Amino acid sequence: MSRSIYGIGKENGMATQGRQNRFWAWPLAACMMAMASQAGAQSAAQSVAAPSDADTPPPTDADLAGTRCVSGEEKFLPGDYYYCLGTQTYGLNKYATSQRFFTTAASWASKPAQYVLGIMALNGDHQPVNKPLALAWFTLASERQNSSFKQAYDTAMKGATQAEREAARKLLVTMTPVYGDATAAKRAEARYAQGMRELSRLSAKGSKYCMAGMVDPSRPIADPNGCPPIETVVKMLDAAAVNVFEGWNGHVQVGPLEQVPAPEASGKP
């Protein structure tokens, strides 16, 4: 079976959508590497930058395998982190592992992961074709208002038989409590808020923060002072949070941290 992980195909108009979404997990790793590395940081960041042109050819296995995932992101945005691992392991031809990572990401409210799982099930990408399962994943991926995955859902649903739609509805009975926003997004938001509270506490001390996995092993940082300020890390995580929470009304971006001024002494000298 030909590779189909990032697009259903030009014949039904959804290839462009797949190209746009396949890169969502990459920016955080690229930016964190750029901040952490002193030598070759610019080229490292550029090597994983998402193309701006929708007509850019799909990435090769080598491109996907070379994706850098920041392990420390798991403490803040596990949906984005495991989606990145799914992309990476797919490029390494570890398809069962890749599917497992995408499924974990889906349980942390990653709509891109749910979309990819739908694509894999629909096209029989290294697994049997399962149209009801594909419909169920597309339903979950497109549940948010103005979802960019609505086209995939509409197209797949239009081409499905009544029996396939009914089978998908039955699957959703057990899938929605695990992967639907009512559970998964709230769970992911709680994890994100917990991590941000910890960064806020450290920021009050004027600390810097080296996130695990942000350093290229071939160019380790010898000086801890080379780590970025916490405010910079917060900004990057808040930007990456869009990959998980975009379109979900329950998420509020943190924005830049502000130092709280010391209280003025009361009373007269």
Side-chain angles (χ1 to χ4, degrees):
M1 190 72 184
S2 61
R3 298 298 171 80
S4 53
I5 185 172
Y6 290 117
I8 294 180
K10 293 183 179 179
E11 67 279 1
N12 57 26
M14 288 192 288
T16 298
Q17 180 175 339
R19 283 199 298 270
Q20 292 172 341
N21 289 301
R22 66 177 176 234
F23 289 101
W24 285 6
W26 290 19
L28 180 65
C31 292
M32 297 302 287
M33 285 168 61
M35 290 188 296
S37 177
Q38 299 300 316
Q42 194 64 32
S43 61
Q46 291 175 349
S47 68
V48 294
S52 58
D53 189 348
D55 292 328
T56 300
T60 64
D61 279 353
D63 293 330
L64 298 178
T67 303
R68 284 291 307 279
C69 302
V70 181
S71 60
E73 188 189 16
E74 197 269 344
K75 294 182 178 180
F76 304 89
L77 294 166
D80 195 47
Y81 172 61
Y82 286 109
Y83 178 81
C84 182
L85 288 179
T87 299
Q88 181 189 73
T89 50
Y90 190 95
L92 293 169
N93 302 327
K94 298 179 179 179
Y95 304 115
T97 300
S98 174
Q99 187 174 37
R100 185 171 69 250
F101 282 138
F102 282 133
T103 303
T104 300
S107 73
W108 286 99
S110 171
K111 295 307 177 187
Q114 294 171 3
Y115 166 76
V116 167
L117 288 166
I119 292 291
M120 296 176 78
L122 183 67
N123 288 349
D125 193 342
H126 302 283
Q127 63 184 293
V129 172
N130 190 330
K131 290 186 178 180
L133 181 60
L135 290 174
W137 280 125
F138 287 148
T139 300
L140 291 164
S142 63
E143 69 176 314
R144 296 175 188 171
Q145 188 173 7
N146 301 319
S147 170
S148 59
F149 301 111
K150 184 64 163 57
Q151 182 186 357
Y153 168 81
D154 290 341
T155 303
M157 190 63 73
K158 183 178 179 180
T161 65
Q162 185 59 39
E164 289 168 344
R165 294 172 187 169
E166 181 59 32
R169 281 192 285 269
K170 291 180 179 179
L171 286 172
L172 284 167
V173 171
T174 56
M175 292 173 67
T176 300
V178 178
Y179 305 105
D181 274 348
T183 301
K186 289 182 178 179
R187 178 174 171 238
E189 175 73 2
R191 170 71 72 89
Y192 183 69
Q194 180 183 9
M196 286 304 196
R197 282 194 298 270
E198 177 62 15
L199 288 183
S200 181
R201 183 184 66 81
L202 294 173
S203 178
K205 301 178 181 179
S207 304
K208 294 188 176 184
Y209 189 77
C210 273
M211 185 179 293
M214 64 181 282
V215 180
D216 186 336
S218 66
R219 295 188 296 269
I221 295 177
D223 182 4
N225 291 325
C227 297
I230 288 181
E231 290 81 1
T232 301
V233 176
V234 167
K235 183 178 180 180
M236 298 309 304
L237 284 169
D238 211 27
V242 174
N243 299 341
V244 176
F245 299 115
E246 183 178 30
W248 184 53
N249 294 330
H251 178 66
V252 178
Q253 285 186 292
V254 176
L257 299 180
E258 296 182 358
Q259 294 290 341
V260 178
E264 297 181 359
S266 60
K268 297 181 180 180

